[in-house]
Amino acid sequence: MLDAFSRAVVNADSKTACIGGDELQSLKNFISEGNKRLDAVNSIASNSSCIVSDAVAGMICENQGLIQAGGNCYPNRRMAACLRDGEIILRYITYAVLSGDASVLEDRCLNGLKETYTALGVPLQSTGRAVGIMKASSLAHINNTNSEEYGGKRFRKMEMKDGDCSAITSEAASYFDRVISALS
Ligand SMILES: CCC1=C(C)/C(=C/C2=NC(=C\c3[nH]c(/C=C4\NC(=O)[C@H](C)[C@H]4CC)c(C)c3CCC(=O)O)/C(CCC(=O)O)=C2C)NC1=O
């Protein structure tokens, strides 16, 4: 498992080079923008059960066969497994956002997941849809653009300093995209 710093070391070592130039600049940036990263992690982690349950509910709304006999969220045992998997995936995404590197997500969560799902009959496309909804809602939380229209009664806006969060948002988006592509 790597983070932004150990990744720079591994890259430099593979070239038997010192760390310098662009790599140092990007680590400087990692530090100076670090509070945005921590806020991003906090805004996902503090809303994770809402993000997960909303995504799984949305996935089921669009495909009600999932909760009928023969569907992969039927009976309750499978529904529970599905919600748990949503939490697992989101948790590993927060680790990746925190460390600034996808390796923890790849190695500990995605490695072999597609094969496991295929063996168990867990539908990959539906999982991808649930992850896609988690992505939309997590990015809204990072940017503090979630609105009552989507949040309904559970709408919640976190205290956060305004600023440009485009870089951390697109980085977080890339981790969700990795999950979706690993399952397709
Ligand atoms: C460390 C990382 C890690 C991951 C990622 C993980 C996933 C994981 N999900 C599983 C099952 C499952 N996963 C789902 C998920 C879903 N079903 C649906 O219809 C939806 C599309 C989807 C939710 C979005 C279901 C229903 C099962 C149970 C399948 C079964 O037993 O028939 C299983 C089989 C064992 C079990 O049931 O606990 C594993 C290993 N386990 C881990 O330790």
Side-chain angles (χ1 to χ4, degrees), residues 27-36:
L27 291 175
K28 272 188 175 171
N29 197 49
F30 187 89
I31 294 168
S32 64
E33 299 283 287
N35 284 334
K36 290 180 185 174

Side-chain angles (χ1 to χ4, degrees), residues 124-169:
L124 298 172
Q125 212 186 339
S126 296
T127 309
R129 178 62 183 141
V131 174
I133 301 174
M134 291 203 294
K135 173 183 173 185
S137 104
S138 298
L139 300 189
H141 279 291
I142 294 176
N143 274 302
N144 230 0
T145 55
N146 56 321
S147 64
E148 243 169 316
E149 185 190 345
Y150 289 110
K153 278 204 296 287
R154 297 190 297 176
F155 173 68
R156 174 172 176 213
K157 203 151 184 118
M158 312 231 323
E159 270 308 309
M160 230 187 285
K161 244 178 119 174
D162 281 341
D164 179 2
C165 286
S166 55
I168 191 71
T169 303

Side-chain angles (χ1 to χ4, degrees), residues 56 59 66 71-73 77-79 81-86 88-89 91-92 108-109 113 116-117 120 122-123 126-127 130:
V56 170
M59 171 195 79
L66 285 166
N72 203 262
C73 289
R77 179 186 67 78
R78 286 204 185 86
M79 181 75 239
C82 177
L83 286 162
R84 177 208 61 197
D85 283 11
I88 293 175
I89 290 169
R91 182 163 57 83
Y92 278 97
R108 301 196 186 177
C109 180
L113 188 59
T116 305
Y117 276 1
L120 288 168
V122 174
S126 296
T127 309

Side-chain angles (χ1 to χ4, degrees), residues 97-129:
V97 175
L98 182 69
S99 54
D101 194 275
S103 60
V104 62
L105 172 67
E106 294 280 0
D107 300 348
R108 301 196 186 177
C109 180
L110 300 182
N111 183 13
L113 188 59
K114 183 178 181 180
E115 292 72 18
T116 305
Y117 276 1
T118 305
L120 288 168
V122 174
L124 298 172
Q125 212 186 339
S126 296
T127 309
R129 178 62 183 141

